[in-house]
Amino acid sequence: MGERVGVTGWVGVLGPLVAWRPVARLVQKFGGTSVGDPERIRAVADHVARCRRRGDEIVLVVSAMGKETDELLRIAAEVSATRPGREMDMLITAGERKAIALVSMALADIGVPADSYTGSQAGFITDTNHTDAKILEVRADRIAETLASGRVAVVAGAQGVSTDRDVTFLGRGGSDTTAVALAKALGADACELYTDVSGVYTTDPRVVPAARKMSRISFDELLEMTATGCPKPAMRSVEYAHRHGVKLHVRSAFTWEPGTWVVEEDPDMEHAVVRAVTHDLSEAKITVTGVPDRPGVAARLFRALADRNVNVDMIVQNASALGVTDISFTVPHSDVATATDVVESLKDELGAGGVAADTAIARVSVIGAGMKTNPGIAASMFETLSNAGINIDMISTSAIRISCVVAEPQAEEAVAILHDAYGLDRTVG
Ligand code: ADP
Ligand code: ASP
Ligand code: MG
């Protein structure tokens, strides 16, 4: 990127001051709310024009407008019970395709030359796993040529073309991954994920208004956050960025202020032991009761679940009484029916008593890299919950995270009291 040089500013009282700096190549991704209506689309175009005046080279990645993806999924469910994956992908990717055309038009109107590209045109080659395809390769030469000719490339998020030549969708939140993968392929200086909040917060600002934006967060902490319910950025994009050394900046498409930089190691990490609280309502608990406590039972059960692609998360086996125990585990809501079916079909073979599913649970987690060297966080988390009369149903930990399953109606209260107990409304960035 050596020869790309731009003029960034010039007027000064002492005469014209020309400040030279290398041009930044930026991939800027805009989420659904950020391009949710014509006014928002024009605001994005104005922002791009400002960046270009500064000399930056811009590639945009755009999500479907507003809640369009949800709307398309809803219509599909009304039309079809089978919803073939190939056709679902053709349908869902239409949302992003509309958005890129509109953004490109808004850019043209203010004199910024821009071309829109579908995922396929932008060189995203994926596997054939419809509705949740994985990127195999990004052939970014066409986008690189667009930049070389001084134009803005506007790329549809969350899509590609499969090795079978069909249109594929990368899954919910896939536009973040598109942006990170393009940033890597183009050797961009940074990947900016613009959204409707001004960065990554100490907890969901919709749940706790006192939540604070973090100016930096480490990849490890952010990965734990996204794995336990924080929707922003999509977990796969964080993994991709970490693996490929892409610089990530999560920021606001409304205020344009600096947001949260995702870094390898955060020097502040030692100070705040707990840095964030997350919650996840997407899982359910399955309990198998009256299971004989003998070798092979868990192996048989979880092998059968794995064979049916059930995504098991937390597992708890109670101490046995009189040679009989209970096993509980959590699965995504979408896997409850299959998991129950698997357990029912094994009940006689295992000699189990029964199976029950509880969908009204929530997982609440506290996260912080400083936990590794600070004992007692688990105890203080349990005390905080117990002081509020919140019962803990299951517990799991990693080196930098502690998660508790609680009753769903108590999830938001649990998040708020933990956020307060660890002083997260008071810590700086
Ligand atoms: P986009 O559509 O822009 O990709 P999403 O709507 O998927 O973004 O995610 C942004 C939302 O994530 C925010 O509006 C915010 O309410 C929610 N959120 C939950 N937890 C956090 C957190 N810890 N930090 C920032 N945002 C969070
Ligand atoms: N529009 C898709 C979704 O809502 C993809 C994305 O925005 O990342 O999940
Ligand atoms: Mg989104």
Side-chain angles (χ1 to χ4, degrees), residues 123-268:
F124 278 80
I125 314 297
T126 75
D127 64 15
T128 56
N129 188 18
H130 282 293
T131 74
D132 196 23
K134 301 277 175 297
I135 300 168
L136 298 176
E137 193 188 340
V138 185
R139 298 182 188 152
D141 34 297
R142 192 156 178 208
I143 303 301
E145 282 163 23
T146 304
L147 291 179
S149 67
R151 303 176 70 82
V152 171
V154 186
V155 178
Q159 55 180 258
V161 61
S162 75
T163 44
D164 281 350
R165 292 173 297 169
D166 283 321
V167 168
T168 46
F169 179 58
L170 304 183
R172 299 308 305 264
S175 297
D176 289 354
T177 311
T178 298
V180 170
L182 257 185
K184 161 71 183 151
L186 293 166
D189 297 289
C191 179
E192 300 183 329
L193 302 175
Y194 287 86
T195 183
D196 54 9
V197 288
S198 50
V200 179
Y201 278 65
T202 47
T203 196
D204 187 344
R206 276 189 285 221
V207 174
V208 181
R212 297 177 63 114
K213 179 187 82 185
M214 292 180 265
S215 50
R216 282 183 311 277
I217 184 151
S218 68
F219 272 107
D220 287 342
E221 289 167 316
L222 186 57
L223 277 169
E224 290 281 3
M225 287 179 73
T226 58
T228 55
C230 176
K232 203 71 236 152
M235 182 163 68
R236 261 165 74 188
S237 73
V238 182
E239 283 166 351
Y240 200 110
H242 195 200
R243 207 168 339 117
H244 296 284
V246 175
K247 288 208 173 78
L248 265 189
H249 186 187
V250 183
R251 54 188 305 190
S252 167
F254 289 76
T255 64
W256 310 108
E257 69 197 287
T260 304
W261 282 95
V262 189
V263 295
E264 207 47 55
E265 287 252 323
D266 186 341
D268 287 342

Side-chain angles (χ1 to χ4, degrees), residues 29 31-32 63:
K29 179 259 169 177
S63 288

